[in-house]
Amino acid sequence: MLDIYEQDWYTRGPCNGRDIDPDTFFPEGTPGYSGYDQIVDEAKAICLGCPVIAECLRWAVDSRQEYGVWGATEQNERVAMMRRASQAGSLAVNRYATNTEISAMIAAALEREVAYVKHLAELDEDARQRVLQKQG
């Protein structure tokens, strides 16, 4: 596993324990309950203002983080990203692509996902809400 404490970007994020309690990003409870969801929303709001949101999300996906909020995403959102990226790879398999081409397609699909989250983070709150409502 990739050690978070060895990542140079981690020291630049507010979640490293200097400014914000790291437990904020690991809520206890069950998704769907107001207390849990409120903590997750708070963590995501912090992430959306973070200068290393893309690096964080990339690390979480690469290291297959099962718990916590990383790069403004929960585990189920990261799984969905991986699934969409894998589907891009599956399409390549159906076209008889090489393993290198398939890997490149999956990596590119994941980078698009990371770029989208970073883009959302750069929007003001009203614009972000409009984009999310259109997806809805």
Side-chain angles (χ1 to χ4, degrees):
M1 178 178 284
L2 303 170
D3 187 353
I4 187 69
Y5 302 108
E6 294 177 6
Q7 307 305 309
D8 64 335
W9 56 264
Y10 179 69
T11 60
R12 298 188 318 268
C15 59
N16 63 22
R18 285 191 323 251
D19 302 321
I20 298 169
D21 181 359
D23 290 342
T24 302
F25 300 91
F26 297 93
E28 293 184 10
T30 306
Y33 289 97
S34 62
Y36 177 92
D37 291 343
Q38 181 180 353
I39 294 170
V40 167
D41 289 345
E42 290 171 11
K44 287 181 176 185
I46 294 166
C47 291
L48 290 172
C50 180
V52 295
I53 186 173
E55 293 92 336
C56 179
L57 178 56
R58 162 57 58 207
W59 179 84
V61 170
D62 288 348
S63 61
R64 307 262 196 278
Q65 291 300 303
E66 294 184 17
Y67 303 103
V69 175
W70 298 92
T73 63
E74 293 177 78
Q75 195 264 347
N76 62 330
E77 294 166 317
R78 292 187 298 274
V79 167
M81 287 180 178
M82 292 294 293
R83 187 175 305 121
R84 286 189 295 269
S86 293
Q87 288 169 348
S90 295
L91 293 174
V93 170
N94 291 336
R95 291 189 355 240
Y96 304 101
T98 66
N99 285 341
T100 302
E101 291 170 329
I102 293 167
S103 294
M105 289 185 77
I106 292 171
L110 282 173
E111 287 307 318
R112 286 190 297 275
E113 297 276 356
V114 169
Y116 177 71
V117 170
K118 187 174 181 180
H119 168 72
L120 283 179
E122 293 168 350
L123 297 174
D124 65 46
E125 184 61 27
D126 290 337
R128 185 172 28 255
Q129 290 305 317
R130 286 192 301 274
V131 168
L132 293 174
Q133 285 174 354
K134 285 181 184 178
Q135 290 179 343

